[in-house]
Amino acid sequence: MGGIIFFLFTVEHPFAYPVPLLVLFGILLSFWLQYQAACYDSLEKRFLHTQDDSRERDILLTEKNRSLMEKQNYEIYAATLRERNRIAREIHDNVGHLLSRSLLLLGAVKTTNTDARLNTAVDSLEDTLNSAMDSIRSSVHDLHDEAVNLEDAIQTLIKDFTFCPVHYIYDCGREVPREIKYSFISITKEALSNIMRHSNATRASVLIREHPALYQLCIEDNGSACTLETDGIGIANMEERVHSLHGNLHILTDNGFKIFITVPKEITI
């Protein structure tokens, strides 16, 4: 094609050639331009498609990495709690046993003691041992995972959440099973994070309530944008935690976004 253009424009009298030749040249030129335009359109579509695929992969990888990090944090947290339980049991079984034995021996000494000069020292030693025993009991209680306060943990999450105001209602007894505590904490953290990243909400609410036969967790916002995809990784993680407790998870998207979770008591206690 380039040779034809060069030939026609470098001859001395280009219009001396027959009209059909010029028409043929015009047709060939139009086909060539059409072909070049089609190639350009194809390249542009391939570029946009590649760009979209790359962006989608980046979003998917980011979401997977975030999910893996949260899972890793949860596993570290669970491992830490197991270690705390082990230490608490050792303190209770070993140190607590030794203190109890010391108190029994001291009681025997007080009973058989006939020297009035030792009464003050023995009483002081008894008070010290009782104080140590109370301190051990308090430390064991604080170390044990049952001491994790669900109400305070959720309150801390809400306090750190500054995206929009959150109305918090907690109506549970003190003896909430630890599996439910950890699951409700993790789910609430995930839900608040997704409100901040995906929703245009101006207010949200968190409700945790104990019923005679079940525990209930409800998290909702008033955003018109969907908080997260119902088949996304975040929802999958929530469903996995709830199903491990033999509970149910429902998602409502009317007038905002709502996550409604119920967990039966008889399965978890």
Side-chain angles (χ1 to χ4, degrees), residues 110-123:
K110 288 181 65 176
T111 302
T112 59
N113 178 45
T114 57
D115 190 347
R117 292 174 300 177
L118 296 178
N119 289 340
T120 302
V122 170
D123 290 339

Side-chain angles (χ1 to χ4, degrees), residues 3 107 143 166 192:
L143 279 172
V166 179
L192 292 178

Side-chain angles (χ1 to χ4, degrees), residues 25-41:
F25 166 72
I27 294 174
L28 292 175
L29 180 61
S30 65
F31 275 116
W32 182 75
L33 293 175
Q34 186 178 6
Y35 172 75
Q36 293 296 324
C39 290
Y40 175 79
D41 291 340

Side-chain angles (χ1 to χ4, degrees), residues 6-243:
F6 178 77
F7 172 75
L8 291 176
F9 282 92
T10 53
V11 295
E12 185 177 356
H13 301 289
F15 294 103
Y17 292 93
V19 173
L21 183 60
L22 295 177
V23 173
L24 178 61
F25 166 72
I27 294 174
L28 292 175
L29 180 61
S30 65
F31 275 116
W32 182 75
L33 293 175
Q34 186 178 6
Y35 172 75
Q36 293 296 324
C39 290
Y40 175 79
D41 291 340
S42 177
L43 287 174
E44 184 179 17
K45 290 179 180 178
R46 288 174 60 188
F47 172 75
L48 294 176
H49 182 71
T50 302
Q51 194 175 39
D52 291 341
D53 287 346
S54 178
R55 187 180 297 111
E56 184 178 354
R57 283 195 298 268
D58 289 342
I59 294 174
L60 183 60
L61 287 174
T62 300
E63 190 70 16
K64 286 185 176 179
N65 287 335
R66 184 185 62 82
S67 177
L68 288 173
M69 287 296 296
E70 289 190 354
K71 184 177 181 181
Q72 183 182 33
N73 292 338
Y74 180 79
E75 290 175 351
I76 293 173
Y77 181 58
T80 302
L81 289 175
R82 287 194 296 269
E83 182 63 14
R84 288 170 61 184
N85 287 341
R86 185 188 66 80
I87 295 173
R89 286 192 298 269
E90 288 188 359
I91 292 175
H92 179 271
D93 295 342
N94 298 326
V95 181
H97 176 72
L98 292 175
L99 287 174
S100 297
R101 183 180 178 184
S102 299
L103 285 170
L104 290 175
L105 291 174
L106 184 61
V109 170
K110 288 181 65 176
T111 302
T112 59
N113 178 45
T114 57
D115 190 347
R117 292 174 300 177
L118 296 178
N119 289 340
T120 302
V122 170
D123 290 339
S124 177
L125 180 58
E126 184 179 28
D127 291 340
T128 301
L129 289 175
N130 282 324
S131 224
M133 180 61 78
D134 292 339
S135 178
I136 288 295
R137 290 194 183 112
S138 177
S139 297
V140 168
H141 176 75
D142 291 338
L143 279 172
H144 201 274
D145 59 4
E146 295 292 347
V148 175
N149 190 301
L150 176 60
E151 181 179 9
D152 291 344
I154 300 296
Q155 184 67 57
T156 300
L157 292 178
I158 293 174
K159 183 179 179 181
D160 295 336
F161 182 76
T162 57
F163 179 77
C164 67
V166 179
H167 181 59
Y168 180 39
I169 298 177
Y170 183 87
D171 184 19
C172 286
R174 302 185 62 177
E175 300 300 325
V176 179
R178 65 177 182 272
E179 292 83 1
I180 293 182
K181 290 181 185 180
Y182 304 148
S183 294
F184 279 12
I185 291 171
S186 298
I187 291 171
T188 303
K189 181 179 179 181
E190 173 78 21
L192 292 178
S193 175
N194 280 287
I195 290 175
M196 182 174 61
R197 292 187 294 112
H198 299 294
S199 177
N200 58 352
T202 58
R203 67 178 183 275
S205 66
V206 176
L207 167 68
I208 300 177
R209 178 161 289 161
E210 180 180 0
H211 297 275
L214 56 86
Y215 292 96
Q216 171 189 349
L217 170 63
C218 182
I219 305 170
E220 60 181 314
D221 65 72
N222 67 339
S224 59
C226 186
T227 302
L228 69 165
E229 297 294 332
T230 56
D231 58 350
I233 297 177
I235 286 293
N237 290 338
M238 294 181 188
E239 289 178 339
E240 182 180 352
R241 291 190 176 100
V242 174
H243 289 168

